[in-house]
Amino acid sequence: LMIASGQGNQLSRYHLEAGIVAEHCLIASPKETNWSRIVDLYGLLIRIAPNPIHELNRAVAVSRLHDPQAGLRELQKMESTEIVEKYYLWHAVVGELNRQIGNFDSAKIALIKAIQRCPSEAEKNLLRKRLALCDRGSVD
C-alpha cells in the first residue's frame, strides 16, 4: 500500500505523507533519521495542504535537524489559531522545546496547558513527567 501511494503523475499530500512515514519506518535506528528530508517533505506538504498540524510537525523536524531553538523559531512564525490554542500537542511541543533549552518557566506554562487539554490519561502522565523534569532543572 505504501509503495502504491508513491505512484501517480501528480504530487499529492498522500505522496508526501507516505514519504514522511517512509523516512521514519525504513531506517535501521532512530539515529539514521533523515531530518533534512523530512523538513523538506513537510515544507512541500504545507504548500499543497496548508495545516497548522503540518507546520507543528515541521517545527519538530527542524528542532531535530538543527536544535530546539530553531524549532521554537518556526513555531513563533505560525499564526495563533483556535486549532493551535486548543491542540494539546502544540503546547506539549512548545513546552518540551523550551525545556530542552533551559527555559523552564515557559516550559512549565506550556506543559500545564498541554495537560489541561490532553484527552488521554496516559499522555497526561507523560506530560507530568516532563513537567517534573522542569522542576528539577533537567534539559536531558
Side-chain angles (χ1 to χ4, degrees):
L1 183 60
M2 190 166 74
I3 292 171
S5 71
Q7 298 175 348
N9 295 328
Q10 288 188 312
L11 182 64
S12 74
R13 69 177 284 184
Y14 303 108
H15 295 104
L16 297 168
E17 289 170 350
I20 293 165
V21 168
E23 290 297 331
H24 287 293
C25 293
L26 300 176
I27 55 173
S29 76
K31 292 182 215 173
E32 296 177 22
T33 303
N34 186 342
W35 291 110
S36 179
R37 178 82 174 127
I38 292 171
V39 167
D40 291 344
L41 289 169
Y42 271 117
L44 289 170
L45 182 58
I46 290 165
R47 286 178 45 206
I48 289 175
N51 182 310
I53 306 307
H54 298 155
E55 292 181 56
L56 175 63
N57 291 338
R58 184 180 180 281
V60 170
V62 166
S63 78
R64 296 294 183 100
L65 177 61
H66 299 292
D67 57 51
Q69 189 65 47
L72 284 170
R73 282 192 299 273
E74 290 298 312
L75 293 176
Q76 289 168 352
K77 293 178 190 176
M78 290 179 60
E79 290 182 36
S80 181
T81 64
E82 187 175 339
I83 292 173
V84 167
E85 187 54 36
K86 288 183 177 182
Y87 191 46
Y88 77 100
L89 287 176
W90 162 267
H91 298 286
V93 168
V94 169
E96 179 59 15
L97 294 179
N98 271 295
R99 186 193 65 78
Q100 289 175 10
I101 62 172
N103 257 351
F104 299 116
D105 289 339
S106 295
K108 287 180 189 181
I109 291 167
L111 289 168
I112 289 168
K113 286 181 182 180
I115 292 166
Q116 291 169 340
R117 290 160 176 79
C118 184
S120 158
E121 198 57 41
E123 287 179 290
K124 284 181 184 182
N125 288 334
L126 176 63
L127 292 167
R128 288 182 187 113
K129 288 178 183 177
R130 294 297 182 188
L131 188 58
L133 290 174
C134 293
D135 290 333
R136 291 197 302 264
S138 175
V139 295
D140 295 326

